[in-house]
Amino acid sequence: MKPTRAGSTENISVSMPSELVTELRSRTGRRGLSSYITEAVRHQLAMGGLAEIVASHEDVHGELTEQEIEAARRELFEDENAQDLDRGAA
């Protein structure tokens, strides 16, 4: 997932467990921390939106079947899986 920059930013304060912050900094460095957290929040919001769509669909049409879930998974991740296969991953 390629990070995108917002037109404007706002500084906020967030409390997190120290060990989590330590691990984040070891993976991102101090300068990459904000970008990493921004993308994680963006991803979480997208997943929440997807969950709302699924819930709405299930309210009207009933629970998704395993076949429908697998078809959606293939459609969503087809390109990603094809790249993995090109690299020799299973």
Side-chain angles (χ1 to χ4, degrees):
M1 185 181 320
K2 187 175 181 176
T4 56
R5 290 207 173 260
S8 64
T9 61
E10 182 177 336
N11 288 333
I12 62 169
S13 175
V14 177
S15 297
M16 300 173 84
S18 296
E19 58 275 1
L20 185 58
V21 174
T22 299
E23 185 169 348
L24 280 169
R25 285 189 174 138
S26 73
R27 291 175 182 257
T28 65
R30 283 183 96 72
R31 295 182 154 229
L33 192 60
S34 289
S35 294
Y36 188 93
I37 292 171
T38 297
E39 290 308 310
V41 170
R42 192 171 277 136
H43 175 79
Q44 187 65 32
L45 289 171
M47 293 300 98
L50 182 57
E52 290 171 8
I53 291 168
V54 169
S56 176
H57 175 85
E58 289 182 337
D59 284 346
V60 174
H61 302 285
E63 191 171 323
L64 291 170
T65 65
E66 287 299 319
Q67 293 82 13
E68 290 170 319
I69 293 169
E70 186 55 37
R73 185 176 287 122
R74 280 193 307 272
E75 186 174 333
L76 287 168
F77 302 111
E78 182 178 323
D79 292 337
E80 192 174 297
N81 291 337
Q83 288 174 357
D84 288 345
L85 290 174
D86 289 344
R87 291 185 202 121

